[in-house]
Amino acid sequence: MKPWIKIIVGLVIIGLLAAIAIYIFVINKPKRDIENEKPSYELTVEKMYTEYTTDAEAANLNYLDKTGIISGSITKIEKSDSLVIVVFALSEGEFGDEGIRCTMLEKYKNEALAINPGTTVEIKGVCTGYNGSDIIFEKCSIKKN
Amino acid sequence: MKKYIFIALIGLMSSGLVNAQKHITKNGHIWFKSETPVETIEAHNHQVNCALDITTGDLVFKVLIKSFEFPKALMQEHFNENYMESAKFPVSTFSGKLLNLKELNFTKDGKYNVDVDGQLTIHGITKKVKEKGVLEVKGPQITITSNFIVMLADYDIKIPKAVTKNIADSINVHVDAKLEKLIK
């Protein structure tokens, strides 16, 4: 085999392997690590709730799918099936209490359950939007207690 | 005078009773499955709002699309950005009625088949739908379960040609909501 053919064959193989590696990497792209992601906003639950109830579309531009920190006084901690949800109730509507609901990450569940209502906390999570009665935060961690 | 106060009190109490016929949850579970020979994709959402008024049969569901959790990050990204355009259409809703309300007895534990009729909004498109479900009364708790099929084409959800083999045209949707009496 001529040397230049060897080189070409070698390059093609390397190229193919790289393509496969990139494909596997893209397909198995790691999930977002919300707990350690840099927060892109920080505000009080009252301010966020006011923004969403005034203009949800404008608020979505700032918060939807973005990781941030919200702070406020906890109303209650809810347990439902396997979920632990920290609730900031700020108003009342067709679904009872309305406000901000934060689903806790597995490793923060026990810590969340131990918080007394009325305690002011900072919660970090990703905002998945406003469903007409509540703003939902997912993958939440507790920053300060 | 006393008589009037008494009547007013009775009036207040009974109006309270009439209002307290709503059952709600904010942690309903909706999941869907897309099955093709190439790939099975399943996603779950545990943050579903559901309210049922047992005096009128009014039934409402509200779902945030971004709250659907997929096994793989890339699936979730494609689902939100390309198929559901969840930044543009962040909420899906169902608003309808239980058709056979009269056959249901909410004071007796049991399972009832229910017919539901209403408007389903997905991807910004609203369609009239009629589905079947099961309603289970267990003490103060009401559980609503249903399985139905959503055709992607009905809601103008476009799947790129490159992945048509991976994603089914019809998606199996499952609903499971445990409602508690709303106490005001």
Side-chain angles (χ1 to χ4, degrees):
Chain A
M1 218 191 282
K2 283 178 185 156
W4 62 270
I5 293 181
K6 274 187 188 167
I7 291 168
I8 286 175
V9 168
L11 283 177
V12 166
I13 290 171
I14 290 169
L16 276 175
L17 286 177
I20 291 168
I22 290 168
Y23 178 75
I24 290 171
F25 179 76
V26 168
I27 288 283
N28 293 308
K29 191 178 150 180
K31 287 197 174 191
R32 283 171 71 180
D33 179 6
I34 303 298
E35 189 190 353
N36 295 309
E37 229 176 65
K38 200 171 159 251
S40 48
Y41 53 88
E42 212 172 321
L43 76 171
T44 64
V45 291
E46 288 84 5
K47 184 157 190 299
M48 183 174 230
Y49 186 74
T50 309
E51 282 187 39
Y52 260 104
T53 45
T54 318
D55 186 350
E57 253 177 70
N60 271 335
L61 290 177
N62 292 329
Y63 309 119
L64 187 64
D65 215 18
K66 290 180 181 148
T67 297
I69 295 170
I70 50 169
S71 58
S73 162
I74 289 184
T75 313
K76 60 181 172 183
I77 321 287
E78 263 183 38
K79 222 180 151 182
S80 149
D81 294 326
S82 59
L83 303 181
V84 171
I85 297 153
V86 167
V87 180
F88 299 97
L90 301 161
S91 176
E92 234 179 79
E94 63 164 332
F95 287 91
D97 284 343
E98 299 190 342
I100 303 185
R101 297 170 64 82
C102 311
T103 311
M104 303 310 292
L105 280 170
E106 189 64 42
K107 64 191 231 199
Y108 284 95
K109 279 181 183 173
N110 288 332
E111 199 179 324
L113 285 169
I115 302 174
N116 289 320
T119 313
T120 298
V121 290
E122 286 189 353
I123 301 273
K124 185 180 182 184
V126 58
C127 176
T128 60
Y130 176 59
N131 57 25
S133 55
D134 294 281
I135 300 162
I136 307 290
F137 267 79
E138 307 251 17
K139 301 196 166 41
C140 296
S141 50
I142 299 163
K143 294 305 282 178
K144 234 183 271 169
N145 209 336
Chain B
M1 185 62 192
K2 264 186 186 165
K3 200 168 107 190
Y4 291 114
I5 292 174
F6 181 72
I7 291 169
L9 273 176
I10 293 286
L12 273 174
M13 278 162 71
S14 54
S15 71
L17 284 176
V18 170
N19 284 331
Q21 295 301 300
K22 214 168 193 180
H23 287 68
I24 66 145
T25 182
K26 292 187 176 185
N27 301 314
H29 180 196
I30 288 186
W31 73 105
F32 63 80
K33 215 172 182 179
S34 147
E35 274 179 305
T36 67
V38 183
E39 202 170 12
T40 299
I41 299 169
E42 210 178 301
H44 294 260
N45 185 333
H46 292 270
Q47 303 275 38
V48 178
N49 275 14
C50 174
L52 170 69
D53 188 327
I54 62 170
T55 47
T56 60
D58 286 333
L59 180 66
V60 177
F61 283 92
K62 285 183 182 170
V63 189
L64 284 175
I65 300 304
K66 290 252 189 219
S67 286
F68 277 102
E69 179 87 21
F70 287 72
K72 284 185 178 170
L74 195 68
M75 290 174 180
Q76 197 158 329
E77 199 177 299
H78 286 169
F79 171 78
N80 279 302
E81 286 170 16
N82 307 344
Y83 313 148
M84 296 296 281
E85 299 175 87
S86 60
K88 215 159 125 195
F89 311 110
V91 194
S92 269
T93 58
F94 171 81
S95 171
K97 253 183 190 320
L98 294 182
L99 295 178
N100 52 338
L101 186 68
K102 283 191 184 129
E103 296 162 24
L104 313 177
N105 182 355
F106 291 99
T107 54
K108 204 176 126 203
D109 285 6
K111 272 190 180 181
Y112 305 89
N113 288 319
V114 288
D115 294 309
V116 181
D117 184 63
Q119 312 271 332
L120 180 62
T121 305
I122 303 175
H123 192 228
I125 290 170
T126 303
K127 294 264 170 182
K128 207 169 149 39
V129 293
K130 202 172 168 182
E131 303 294 349
K132 289 191 181 305
V134 174
L135 184 147
E136 189 180 358
V137 178
K138 207 174 172 189
Q141 196 178 60
I142 297 173
T143 304
I144 296 175
T145 48
S146 180
N147 293 327
F148 56 92
I149 286 172
V150 168
M151 300 295 293
L152 293 185
D154 286 351
Y155 297 91
D156 199 23
I157 298 164
K158 292 187 186 86
I159 306 298
K161 277 214 172 97
V163 289
T164 44
K165 275 187 186 150
N166 301 62
I167 297 164
D169 312 326
S170 61
I171 307 290
N172 285 310
V173 182
H174 304 255
V175 178
D176 184 354
K178 289 186 186 70
L179 312 178
E180 305 280 352
K181 201 167 184 174
L182 177 63
I183 301 152
K184 283 198 175 173

